[in-house]
Amino acid sequence: MAFASFDANRSAGPMTDINMVPLIDVLLVLLVIFIVTAPLLTHAVKLDLPQVSSQPHLPKPDAINFAIDAQGARFWNGAPISREQAAERFVAEAVKQPQPEVHLRADDGVAYRHVAQTLADASRAGLTKLGFVSEPVGTAAAPTGSAAAPAAAPRP
C-alpha cells in the first residue's frame, strides 16, 4: 500500500500502487448481496411425497418344455406332439409378447437331425429364446413328461 511520505524527493512522482481497500469493500458487499438473495431465488414447494417400495411389474414370459426322446418322439410340456403340430404351435407362440422361452430337452441317444429340425422350426417361427436343458453328471434323468423328484442327499 502507498503511504504518504514527507520526503520531498519522493512526492514528485506519480503513485504507482493500486489501492486495494475499495476493491475489497466492493467484493465483500457483492458477496453479502449474493448470500442474502440466493435463497430467495429458489422457488421450492415443500411437499410430503408418499414413499413407494414397489418394483415395476414386468410379466414373466412363459416357458415351453419341449422334449425329444431317444426314438425321436416330440413332447410339448409333456404331451406327445408331431413335428407339424409343433411347428404350428411355435408360430402361435412367437406372436405372444413377451415371447416364451423354449427349454429343449433332448435324450442322449436321439439323432441330432431331430434336434436340428426342432431348432429350425422354432427359428423359422420367429422364436428367439431357445435353451438347452441338460442333467449334471452323476444325476439320474427324469422320465420325459413327468416332474423330476428332488434327489435325496447322500448320507455321510
Side-chain angles (χ1 to χ4, degrees):
M1 298 205 118
F3 293 104
S5 166
F6 294 111
D7 186 10
N9 293 335
R10 199 157 180 221
S11 63
M15 191 163 116
T16 59
D17 295 332
I18 296 174
N19 192 357
M20 296 297 287
V21 173
L23 179 64
I24 293 172
D25 289 343
V26 169
L27 290 176
L28 287 175
V29 168
L30 288 174
L31 179 66
V32 169
I33 289 172
F34 286 130
I35 289 173
V36 170
T37 58
L40 300 176
L41 295 177
T42 60
H43 299 288
V45 177
K46 304 265 186 211
L47 295 176
D48 291 328
L49 297 175
Q51 300 296 322
V52 178
S53 63
S54 67
Q55 298 293 327
H57 177 67
L58 300 175
K60 187 175 178 184
D62 296 331
I64 300 168
N65 291 316
F66 195 88
I68 305 173
D69 68 3
Q71 289 76 31
R74 293 167 168 84
F75 297 90
W76 184 284
N77 289 334
I81 191 171
S82 69
R83 180 180 176 200
E84 293 77 22
Q85 290 172 329
E88 291 172 7
R89 285 194 186 179
F90 283 147
V91 171
E93 295 292 327
V95 296
K96 290 184 178 178
Q97 288 300 329
Q99 271 193 356
E101 298 173 356
V102 178
H103 299 167
L104 180 61
R105 296 175 184 266
D107 190 270
D108 192 26
V110 71
Y112 182 71
R113 69 179 155 88
H114 296 293
V115 176
Q117 289 170 350
T118 302
L119 292 175
D121 291 341
S123 179
R124 201 174 303 121
L127 291 172
T128 57
K129 298 179 181 179
L130 301 169
F132 289 96
V133 179
S134 63
E135 296 291 330
V137 176
T139 60
T144 305
S146 65
R155 292 190 177 185

